[in-house]
Amino acid sequence: MGGADAVLERARASLEAGDYRWVAQVVNHVVFAEPDHAGARELQAAALEQLGYGAENGTWRNFFLNGAKELREGVSGTPTTTASADIVAHLTLDQLFDSLAIRVDGPRAGSEDIVINWTIGDERYVTTLQNGVLSYLAGRHAGDAAASIRLAHPALIKAATGAASPQELVAAGELTIDGDGSSLETLLSLLDAPDPNFAIVTP
């Protein structure tokens, strides 16, 4: 489109014409290409602000206005707890293993090959960490697992959230490990902590 200045010139005309969505979209490309471009940040903020003022849905209004605030003032994070104990306690086992899978740091875990059998109450699972990806299967165990772990659902939540270490759970009698006990520690060490202070509209 001829560079950042040309994009902003066209976008300013579109802003005056009331085409706020197009302005927010096209100027976002400039913001990602040149994050410190003050003119682009302000123009996108102005478009998002207008979208916020016109939004009848409270959730969308908050998204737009928070995006404008971030462009002008930086990332402000959230004052709320995004993973409260009450919410985590009601996750199903599938949801809990899904939450672990999305937290795996792929590049750091790329060379690991870890298979773990889990017995959680009456449920059986097997997790496999290969090529930086954690996958699981319900209702079965693997014959080549590095370790077999037995624990209750609340103990799994403690381990997954970092509320207690595997050693603490073993000492409390809430977890037993047969096989290579370090495999669980390695798996947990490859999980990234959730970051609630993520950017909404900036790189």
Side-chain angles (χ1 to χ4, degrees):
M1 292 182 68
D5 292 339
V7 171
L8 295 184
E9 184 179 352
R10 297 183 189 182
R12 287 189 187 97
S14 295
L15 184 73
E16 293 178 5
D19 195 355
Y20 305 128
R21 287 186 179 274
W22 187 85
V23 174
Q25 181 68 36
V26 74
V27 177
N28 190 243
H29 292 292
V30 179
V31 170
F32 268 72
E34 301 181 28
D36 296 327
H37 196 300
R41 293 175 74 98
E42 178 53 37
L43 186 56
Q44 188 182 15
L48 291 174
E49 194 170 54
Q50 291 303 316
L51 288 169
Y53 291 156
E56 295 181 5
N57 180 287
T59 302
W60 280 104
R61 180 173 63 250
N62 289 341
F63 287 160
F64 291 137
L65 296 182
N66 271 313
K69 184 176 186 292
E70 179 183 306
L71 286 160
R72 289 172 174 150
E73 302 174 16
V75 177
S76 56
T78 175
T80 62
T81 300
T82 56
S84 70
D86 287 341
I87 292 176
V88 175
H90 287 87
L91 295 178
T92 66
L93 292 174
D94 282 5
Q95 291 170 332
L96 196 52
F97 281 117
D98 282 337
S99 73
L100 294 179
I102 63 173
R103 290 173 52 198
V104 170
D105 184 331
R108 285 199 298 125
S111 61
E112 299 291 343
D113 189 348
I114 302 172
V115 179
I116 298 176
N117 287 332
W118 303 79
T119 302
I120 308 154
D122 296 328
E123 301 288 337
R124 298 194 308 163
Y125 280 80
V126 57
T127 57
T128 303
L129 179 65
Q130 286 180 331
N131 300 317
V133 176
L134 180 68
S135 59
Y136 68 88
L137 291 172
R140 61 182 295 182
H141 280 166
D144 60 345
S148 294
I149 297 172
R150 180 179 293 276
L151 73 174
H153 195 154
L156 177 58
I157 291 172
K158 291 179 185 178
T161 59
S165 68
Q167 296 91 336
E168 291 171 332
L169 293 171
V170 169
E174 298 182 55
L175 182 151
T176 60
I177 302 178
D178 293 326
D180 182 7
S182 67
S183 60
L184 176 58
E185 295 177 23
T186 301
L187 173 61
L188 296 176
S189 73
L190 295 169
L191 303 180
D192 282 337
D195 180 10
N197 297 322
F198 57 87
I200 300 173
V201 294
T202 55

